[in-house]
Amino acid sequence: MSGFGGFLLRRAVGAVVTLLAISVIVYVVFYVTPGNVAQITCGPRCSPEQVHQVAEQLKLGDPLYLRYWHFLQGLFVGQDFSTGTSVEHCAAPCLGQSYQTDQQVLDIILTKLPVSVSLVLGAMVLWLLLGIGTGVLSAWRRGRVSERVLTAVTLAGTATPVFVIGLVLMIVVCGELQLLPFPQYVNFSDDPEQWAWNLLLPWFSLALIEAAAFARLTRAAMLETLAEDHIRTFRAYGVAERSVVGRHALRGALAPVIALNANNVGSAVGGAVLTETLFGLPGIGQELVHAVKVVDLPVVVGMVLVTGFFVVLANAVADVLYAVADRRVVLA
Amino acid sequence: MSEALAVVETAGTGTPVPAVSGARQFWRRLRAQRAALVAAAVVALLVLVALAAPLLTALEGQDPTTYHPTLIDSARGGVPIGSFGGVSADHWLGVEPQTGRDMFARLVYGARVSLGVALAATVVQIAIGVTVGVAAALGNRWVDQLLSRATDIIVSMPLMIMSLALLAIVPASFPRPVLVTLVIGLIAWGSIAKIVRAQTLSLKGLDYVSAARLSGWGTWRIARRELLPGLAAPVITYAALLVPANISVEAALSFLGVGVKPPTPSWGQMLTAADVWYQAAPQYLLLPAGALFVTVLALTVLGDGVRTALDPRAASRLRVGTGRKDTTGTENATGKTPENAADGAARGAAGSANEKEASA
């Protein structure tokens, strides 16, 4: 067990180091640009006084390491913002303030987060079910016509951009067949049923493309496991083929699938940006695209840090789950 | 090239392969796959169309940026006049709603942007990835640690989010297609660096490299003359998968309105407003969507074919279970040290996750 504890510790330290490194990169990329940093941060419509204030806030007169330290302090203990007339406290983790909307970035993100989480989690359930199901089925039906059809469909799935699937689904289902209304986000707490109905299409759009990747991976992993000795033993003992494939081989094939799923969070976040924009869902993806278009730098930086945090967390969880699923990893 | 393939064959499978037949064998294996051949033909056609875009539009007598206000019905909100979105002898595929720009011209010029950005970004990714990977494998412990950690960090950054953020801070005067190329290229090189590092580590232990070192060759010379040829196969394989992924990323960024901007045509950008017009001008949606689909599919199938031709084990693993206990794939099949086995295994999946990310 000490081996496993040490592994956990190493992984946790690694995740923290990665996060710190990301914060350095983000800081350098966005706050050490050659242009007028205060002007860029404040936005195109700022008055010279406001720009001056932002420069004070970011401590642009200080040496670089002190500026970065100030930025880190904000993240861990919070900092005060002077808005000219009053002083506002921004509690940790302080991601700064949007000078265009005068809102704190963390507040903006927190109001949008439930939409994105609803979208990604729902889609994840779908893509795991669809992906693993398809993968198992095509490994089971190997060499038959149904397997060729499944393989062709998943290949087409991997080749279709998420916004194309979404567009086509929306036009066919909402526009032509009128089976569903055009999606409009409803809070889960307000009306769970409407929440689900409205998210159904976005879930499918995001899930189909991810499912294709899972189907391919599951199939490959299943075929590998099916060729192993213990499976041959099961067969020799006369265990039913359905049980061999569906239970014993699937168990062996799950480890890489778990790893892919957590590692896929980054890609799912990217897909969520597209899905939200396409369907007009007010999540953090849509907010990010908006912030990029109006050059609201503090919001952009906050989004990068928050999504980076989730992705690093997911990667760490993936490695741990992988080690749990396959203990040889820790022992090695 | 032929040498290179032969080396990898030997390193990978343990089957001795005569050096001369490497390239020829690659072509033979590629030709044996019908789907890959069809895909290669489609890709060749697309490249031809992209290269000949000015010629084709001259043939049609149009260009991609001229507005044709007379061809759209401003009373109905800018719907093209005529059936199927204004298809005519002058405008082979109709005109765009609202602006009346020629669809055929925008589509073929869009192919230029799409393929150009994707290929150039792939070159950037490979240049950085190979440099970092080789340096990590050949450098001392500290260099390796530093570069490997940097690679881990790059891999764990969400590509889409970082691209969006970077596109926000660069002044609008910077040429957009170049910017998109650089952003994709500078962010998504992590997986290729990992593959190259692993492959270099395994090549480093081979006799012919030791022989070179014993004859007093410098590290740089060994890297250039002995190692780079051996890296060709895995790098080509991965590059073939990167190209379609990059096409999807460019299309996605342009779709979001932060990638290639008008008047430069791009398939993703054409789709931005397509959902509003699908009834009046269905070709406005179908043409760019279809072009994207066909291009990415053809490149993906070709990429699979290239991988199969370069690494027959991959093919046998996918098609007929070999029974060999051989984990996640080309990227971490070799050169894995025990303490980062967990990393390697998870990253094996991450490699494909990255491809996915890009195509999302």
Side-chain angles (χ1 to χ4, degrees):
Chain A
M1 202 57 209
S2 78
F4 195 65
F7 171 75
L8 279 184
L9 190 70
R10 272 205 311 280
R11 205 57 199 79
V13 170
V16 171
V17 170
T18 309
L19 274 177
L20 278 177
I22 287 181
S23 81
V24 172
I25 293 174
V26 166
Y27 190 82
V28 169
V29 167
F30 293 102
Y31 289 116
V32 195
T33 47
N36 183 347
V37 176
Q39 178 71 59
I40 298 172
T41 310
C42 197
R45 277 186 295 275
C46 272
S47 66
E49 294 86 60
Q50 281 172 305
V51 173
H52 184 70
Q53 214 176 47
V54 173
E56 295 255 295
Q57 185 61 48
L58 293 173
K59 303 221 183 298
L60 287 184
D62 289 353
L64 191 57
Y65 66 93
L66 275 182
R67 280 161 60 188
Y68 173 69
W69 179 244
H70 179 69
F71 172 77
L72 264 193
Q73 261 184 337
L75 284 180
F76 286 106
V77 295
Q79 57 185 220
D80 287 325
F81 271 86
S82 104
T83 52
T85 47
S86 62
V87 174
E88 223 177 290
H89 182 67
C90 172
C94 177
L95 293 171
Q97 188 185 18
S98 160
Y99 296 98
Q100 295 188 17
T101 58
D102 280 331
Q103 270 179 300
Q104 292 195 357
V105 174
L106 187 67
D107 292 342
I108 299 179
I109 293 178
L110 286 181
T111 51
K112 308 280 181 184
L113 202 58
V115 183
S116 302
V117 171
S118 302
L119 175 65
V120 172
L121 283 187
M124 190 187 286
V125 172
L126 263 182
W127 83 55
L128 284 177
L129 287 177
L130 284 174
I132 296 176
T134 312
V136 169
L137 205 63
S138 67
W140 185 25
R141 313 292 292 178
R142 184 153 54 95
R144 306 196 200 177
V145 180
S146 52
E147 188 240 347
R148 288 175 160 260
V149 173
L150 284 178
T151 309
V153 169
T154 45
L155 188 64
T158 51
T160 320
V162 65
F163 52 93
V164 171
I165 291 186
L167 261 175
V168 171
L169 275 181
M170 186 158 73
I171 285 170
V172 172
V173 177
C174 305
E176 288 300 310
L177 303 177
Q178 305 203 325
L179 293 175
L180 287 170
F182 284 95
Q184 265 193 329
Y185 187 71
V186 177
N187 276 325
F188 180 76
S189 50
D190 292 345
D191 187 346
E193 201 190 327
Q194 279 305 310
W195 170 83
W197 277 118
N198 278 294
L199 279 172
L200 199 60
L201 271 192
W203 280 340
F204 264 99
S205 313
L206 186 54
L208 283 179
I209 187 160
E210 301 283 345
F214 278 91
R216 295 184 107 193
L217 182 77
T218 309
R219 175 169 173 277
M222 285 287 293
L223 290 183
E224 214 169 84
T225 327
L226 278 173
E228 278 177 19
D229 291 344
H230 73 278
I231 295 294
R232 193 171 48 191
T233 312
F234 278 126
R235 283 198 175 124
Y237 274 101
V239 177
E241 184 65 16
R242 179 189 296 267
S243 165
V244 168
V245 174
R247 277 185 51 202
H248 303 290
L250 181 58
R251 186 176 301 164
L254 273 183
V257 174
I258 291 170
L260 176 63
N261 190 41
N263 278 307
N264 240 23
V265 168
S267 109
V269 169
V273 173
L274 290 164
T275 319
E276 284 171 12
T277 309
L278 179 63
F279 288 103
L281 300 173
I284 56 171
Q286 201 194 33
E287 179 65 30
L288 175 63
V289 174
H290 174 74
V292 166
K293 281 182 181 160
V294 301
V295 198
D296 195 344
L297 197 59
V299 177
V300 172
V301 171
M303 298 278 183
V304 172
L305 286 176
V306 168
T307 46
F309 173 77
F310 279 118
V311 171
V312 169
L313 195 72
N315 279 337
V317 170
D319 285 358
V320 173
L321 283 182
Y322 194 89
V324 172
D326 191 346
R327 293 302 285 270
R328 281 169 300 184
V329 168
V330 180
L331 297 176
Chain B
M1 177 75 187
S2 55
E3 255 176 33
L5 299 176
V7 166
V8 170
E9 296 276 283
T10 324
T13 57
T15 356
V17 174
V20 270
S21 73
R24 212 180 301 155
Q25 195 168 31
F26 169 71
W27 289 119
R28 214 186 56 219
R29 289 216 185 99
L30 195 64
R31 271 207 309 272
Q33 306 170 60
R34 214 181 328 146
L37 267 191
V38 175
V42 173
V43 170
L45 187 71
L46 282 164
V47 171
L48 218 67
V49 165
L51 288 177
L55 231 81
L56 290 170
T57 46
L59 206 63
E60 193 202 15
Q62 303 294 337
D63 68 81
T65 47
T66 308
Y67 283 36
H68 299 284
T70 51
L71 294 176
I72 53 168
D73 190 347
S74 49
R76 284 165 59 215
V79 173
I81 298 170
S83 51
F84 299 111
V87 173
S88 66
D90 286 339
H91 299 277
W92 296 348
L93 298 174
V95 294
E96 247 183 12
Q98 272 187 318
T99 60
R101 289 181 291 205
D102 185 68
M103 276 297 290
F104 176 76
R106 289 190 78 69
L107 203 67
V108 293
Y109 269 93
R112 274 191 152 190
V113 172
S114 223
L115 292 171
V117 167
L119 287 174
T122 309
V123 170
V124 175
Q125 289 165 332
I126 288 174
I128 302 178
V130 170
T131 312
V132 171
V134 170
L138 294 186
N140 62 31
R141 218 176 102 233
W142 290 109
V143 173
D144 184 21
Q145 272 295 321
L146 188 74
L147 291 177
S148 295
R149 288 307 122 209
T151 309
D152 281 345
I153 289 162
I154 281 288
V155 167
S156 64
M157 284 199 175
L159 169 67
M160 209 50 210
I161 308 287
M162 272 311 277
S163 316
L164 276 169
L166 283 178
L167 290 170
I169 55 166
V170 178
S173 55
F174 203 91
R176 226 48 200 183
V178 180
L179 177 62
V180 175
T181 304
L182 284 178
V183 164
I184 300 174
L186 292 177
I187 296 175
W189 51 264
S191 313
I192 205 151
K194 276 173 182 290
I195 297 165
V196 167
R197 176 177 171 274
Q199 180 73 15
T200 311
L201 281 178
S202 73
L203 287 178
K204 212 168 81 167
L206 293 182
D207 287 345
Y208 77 99
V209 180
S210 310
R213 196 177 306 127
L214 287 174
S215 0
W217 284 25
T219 309
W220 171 240
R221 191 172 170 202
I222 293 177
R224 211 161 37 95
R225 296 280 298 277
E226 304 288 343
L227 294 177
L228 281 188
L231 292 172
V235 168
I236 291 171
T237 303
Y238 200 71
L241 297 170
L242 276 176
V243 177
N246 289 342
I247 285 190
S248 300
V249 176
E250 184 276 318
L253 290 172
S254 301
F255 173 76
L256 291 173
V258 294
V260 178
K261 294 199 169 157
T264 314
S266 146
W267 294 340
Q269 177 206 102
M270 289 163 95
L271 285 168
T272 311
D275 57 331
V276 187
W277 301 103
Y278 77 93
Q279 275 174 326
Q283 97 284 22
Y284 189 46
L285 166 78
L286 293 176
L287 289 175
L292 265 177
F293 178 73
V294 169
T295 309
V296 176
L297 185 65
L299 284 164
T300 309
V301 172
L302 182 61
D304 276 355
V306 168
R307 175 166 57 183
T308 310
L310 285 175
D311 179 12
R313 282 185 313 153
S316 56
R317 223 182 2 252
L318 287 173
R319 304 247 159 84
V320 269
T322 54
R324 207 177 302 159
K325 182 70 196 132
D326 182 59
T327 43
T328 20
T330 43
E331 37 219 279
N332 56 356
T334 45
K336 197 200 293 174
T337 46
E339 76 261 39
N340 63 16
D343 257 17
R347 291 304 166 240
S352 45
N354 280 352
E355 287 159 34
K356 280 309 302 147
E357 164 152 7
S359 57

